[in-house]
Every structure is written in structure tokens, then in C-alpha cells.
């Protein structure tokens, strides 16, 4: 289960309402266990003909552009905001949305840029005819992990599910 309700993940895992989460956030909860499954780099998408891509997207054009971003979750920013904050990069965010999946339709019909996980960007480019560029500056990869509650640790069904997801993630990363 991939949950977009960052603040509720620890409570839902503790109650048994949620068996497993896939997320980039780390929760300060000793009862939660983590298994890293993927490191995701970020990409920039924009509409065909977007002026920021004319000369090849550079840091100046990226910072001068207007952006669409994710709403903050669990008292933190999106993984992008966390990574950009560590790189001392501040964007002009004009619109915040709850899901990455809403970003391509927005950037396809506006002058907003979207910064999204690379594996999603490849699909968005194909499905929406968007332009794609790597971030024009160095940033660390975003760690994606499986998260479960300690009380579920020895459940055979959960063990099996974690193995299956880890195998798929490894195949996708190759």
C-alpha cells in the first residue's frame, strides 16, 4: 500500500489498519521498521516549447521559472523540498498539489515546471508529450523504504509481500 497521508502512516500501521507503507519519510517512532528498497533521483518536466528548456535547462532558468510542487506532509516538505533545502535551493512555487500524478497535466498546459521522481517523469513524458531534463544541480537521491510496525515483524504474509515488493523495486532499478 502506498499511502499519501504522511501524518497518518504511523497510527495506521500501529492499529493494523495498514500492514505496510512505501514512503520516503522517516517517522520518529521506535516501533516502526524500515527496509530501503530504492534510491530515486529527481527530474524536471515541462510543456513542449517551455522557455526554460530552450538553451538546455540550467540552474538559472530552473530558479527563474514558476513551479508546481507537492503539499507538505507529516509536518515536512515533499522529498524534493527536503533535498532542495539541503542544497540551499529555493524555487518560486505557484501551486501545490496532493499527488505527483496531478503534476503532468498541469505542466502540460501551463508555464509551470514540475520536479518529480525520475521513474515517474519517464512515464509522464511518454503519456503527456512533455520535455524532460535532469535537475541542473547536484542533489542527493531520495530514499524510498518499506515501512511496517514492529508488531507485524514475524507475520509470514508480510514477509512474503516485502520480498515481492523488494524484487520488483530491484528489477525496476536495473
Amino acid at each position: 500500500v502506498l499511502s499519501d497521508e504522511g501524518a497518518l502512516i504511523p497510527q495506521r500501521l500501529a492499529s493494523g489498519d495498514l500492514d505496510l507503507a512505501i514512503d520516503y519519510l522517516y517517522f520518529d517512532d521506535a516501533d516502526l521498521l524500515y527496509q530501503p528498497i530504492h534510491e530515486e533521483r529527481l527530474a524536471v518536466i515541462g510543456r513542449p516549447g517551455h522557455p526554460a528548456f530552450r538553451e538546455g535547462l540550467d540552474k538559472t532558468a530552473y530558479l527563474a521559472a514558476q513551479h508546481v510542487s507537492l503539499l507538505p506532509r507529516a509536518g515536512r516538505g515533499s522529498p524534493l523540498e527536503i533535498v532542495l533545502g539541503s542544497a540551499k535551493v529555493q524555487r518560486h512555487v505557484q501551486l501545490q498539489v496532493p499527488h505527483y500524478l496531478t503534476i503532468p497535466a498541469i505542466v502540460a498546459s501551463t508555464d509551470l515546471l514540475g520536479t518529480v521522481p525520475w521513474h515517474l517523469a519517464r512515464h509522464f513524458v511518454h503519456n503527456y508529450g512533455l520535455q524532460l531534463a535532469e535537475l541542473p544541480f547536484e542533489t542527493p537521491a531520495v530514499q524510498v523504504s518499506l515501512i511496517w510496525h514492529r508488531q507485524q515483524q514475524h507475520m509470514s504474509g508480510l514477509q512474503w509481500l516485502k520480498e515481492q515488493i523488494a524484487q520488483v523495486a530491484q528489477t525496476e532499478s536495473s
Side-chain angles (χ1 to χ4, degrees):
V1 174
L2 177 60
S3 176
D4 208 27
E5 304 164 350
L8 298 178
I9 289 174
Q11 293 89 339
R12 292 185 68 199
L13 288 168
S15 72
D17 205 27
L18 186 64
D19 292 323
L20 184 66
I22 302 173
D23 211 328
Y24 58 86
L25 291 177
Y26 177 83
F27 301 97
D28 190 20
D29 185 329
D31 287 326
L32 296 183
L33 302 172
Y34 294 81
Q35 177 182 335
I37 57 167
H38 179 64
E39 284 193 345
E40 183 71 68
R41 62 184 190 170
L42 299 167
V44 183
I45 55 174
R47 68 169 173 78
H50 192 291
F53 290 89
R54 272 196 203 120
E55 304 292 324
L57 184 67
D58 62 14
K59 186 174 182 178
T60 302
Y62 180 86
L63 294 176
Q66 305 295 316
H67 297 261
V68 57
S69 184
L70 291 183
L71 289 165
R73 291 191 311 133
R76 305 173 192 170
S78 71
L80 172 64
E81 302 310 324
I82 294 166
V83 166
L84 292 179
S86 69
K88 308 267 190 270
V89 173
Q90 293 209 334
R91 299 175 303 153
H92 301 286
V93 175
Q94 295 300 309
L95 178 64
Q96 292 183 319
V97 296
H99 305 282
Y100 279 120
L101 299 178
T102 59
I103 292 177
I106 293 166
V107 301
S109 60
T110 68
D111 272 342
L112 298 176
L113 293 181
T115 304
V116 299
W118 186 263
H119 78 279
L120 288 177
R122 290 190 336 244
H123 296 290
F124 294 160
V125 166
H126 175 74
N127 293 334
Y128 289 85
L130 302 172
Q131 293 189 89
L132 171 66
E134 292 192 25
L135 275 178
F137 43 86
E138 290 294 317
T139 59
V142 175
Q143 180 70 56
V144 179
S145 297
L146 297 176
I147 309 167
W148 65 97
H149 197 274
R150 185 174 306 281
Q151 68 192 12
Q152 304 291 339
Q153 175 67 9
H154 299 292
M155 298 197 61
S156 60
L158 182 61
Q159 295 292 344
W160 176 86
L161 181 58
K162 291 185 322 189
E163 290 170 11
Q164 299 307 305
I165 293 171
Q167 284 178 2
V168 169
Q170 184 176 11
T171 301
E172 288 290 317
S173 296
S174 306

